[in-house]
């Protein structure tokens, strides 16, 4: 039995983010549902290929179900930052996508990276059920995060160091 087997059905929000200095950034996926926050560690390259894969997947759904409205790509950056606690459940090994046509929900399935010799049945799994717009926004925002050296401050747009930064928009207060 896997130690983690969770469904966020549906997520209130799902996002990705990076924390750390350029070249040493750690990437995360985070979904939340009510008071529950699930954070997973993901490699930068995984996030990048996931973003591309999600766009392709959405295009396929749209092709199959032409009457669906187009998924929105609009987001507010301040809402896309991950929230504390950044307390990852596991490091992602495999990612998959599925679609529940009846409820028009997309599922992002994240499976735990197993240590060498680990049994696949022991891998933790988290299923994030999202709207197509939430998935598209995750794709767009994910690519944005991958392409940046450092996360930028939602207040002033300046890059934020791991220690925080002195924000001119907050009169130099650290945040
Ligand atoms: Zn700032």
């Amino acid at each position: 039995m896997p130690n983690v087997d969770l469904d966020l059905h549906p997520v209130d929000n799902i996002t990705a983010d990076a924390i750390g200095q350029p070249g040493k950034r750690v990437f995360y996926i985070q979904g939340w549902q009510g008071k529950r926050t699930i954070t997973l560690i993901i490699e930068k390259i995984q996030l990048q290929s996931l973003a591309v894969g999600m766009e392709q997947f959405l295009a396929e759904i749209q092709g199959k179900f032409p009457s669906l409205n187009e998924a929105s790509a609009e987001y507010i950056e301040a809402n896309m930052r991950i929230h504390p606690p950044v307390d990852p459940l596991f490091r992602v090994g495999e990612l998959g996508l599925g679609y529940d046509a009846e409820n028009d929900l997309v599922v992002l399935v994240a499976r735990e990276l197993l240590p060498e010799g680990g049994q696949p049945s022991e891998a933790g799994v988290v299923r994030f059920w999202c709207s197509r717009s939430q998935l598209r926004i995750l794709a767009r925002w994910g690519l944005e995060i991958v392409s940046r050296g450092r996360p930028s401050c939602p207040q002033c747009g300046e890059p934020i160091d791991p220690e925080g930064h002195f924000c001119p928009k907050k009169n130099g207060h650290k945040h």
Side-chain angles (χ1 to χ4, degrees):
M1 284 288 287
N3 47 357
V4 178
D5 188 337
L6 286 173
D7 278 90
L8 270 63
H9 193 284
V11 296
D12 296 328
N13 202 357
I14 182 162
T15 193
D17 211 343
I19 298 177
Q21 287 169 319
K24 291 180 181 169
R25 292 190 296 167
V26 178
F27 289 78
Y28 300 92
I29 283 189
Q30 185 179 72
W32 51 101
Q33 181 191 47
K35 289 190 171 135
R36 188 151 67 150
T37 301
I38 302 296
T39 310
L40 306 176
I41 300 181
I42 183 172
E43 296 295 326
K44 181 180 175 183
I45 186 75
Q46 284 178 312
L47 181 58
Q48 193 164 14
S49 55
L50 176 65
V52 173
M54 289 190 293
E55 287 283 7
Q56 283 169 351
F57 190 66
L58 288 170
E60 277 170 35
I61 293 171
Q62 198 79 46
K64 245 185 182 171
F65 304 95
S67 63
L68 289 173
N69 58 333
E70 185 78 15
S72 166
E74 284 179 34
Y75 60 83
I76 297 165
E77 180 165 338
N79 296 343
M80 301 307 291
R81 292 291 171 195
I82 60 171
H83 294 181
V86 179
D87 185 14
L89 269 182
F90 57 72
R91 184 178 284 275
V92 172
E94 272 176 47
L95 289 157
L97 291 166
Y99 183 56
D100 169 5
E102 201 172 317
N103 298 302
D104 189 18
L105 281 178
V106 187
V107 60
L108 170 61
V109 184
R111 285 180 198 282
E112 182 177 11
L113 181 68
L114 284 170
E116 198 138 342
Q119 294 297 318
S121 59
E122 287 165 8
V125 59
V126 178
R127 297 172 208 86
F128 300 100
W129 296 84
C130 331
S131 70
R132 288 179 293 113
S133 292
Q134 284 172 325
L135 199 76
R136 173 154 286 159
I137 287 166
L138 177 61
R140 301 284 164 91
W141 171 247
L143 283 182
E144 177 69 26
I145 285 295
V146 163
S147 69
R148 286 185 190 174
R150 276 177 290 178
S152 59
C153 171
Q155 315 290 336
C156 68
E158 292 293 311
I160 301 174
D161 293 320
E163 308 80 51
H165 89 138
F166 290 93
C167 185
K169 288 273 169 75
K170 290 204 164 177
N171 300 320
H173 288 128
K174 225 173 184 183
H175 67 82

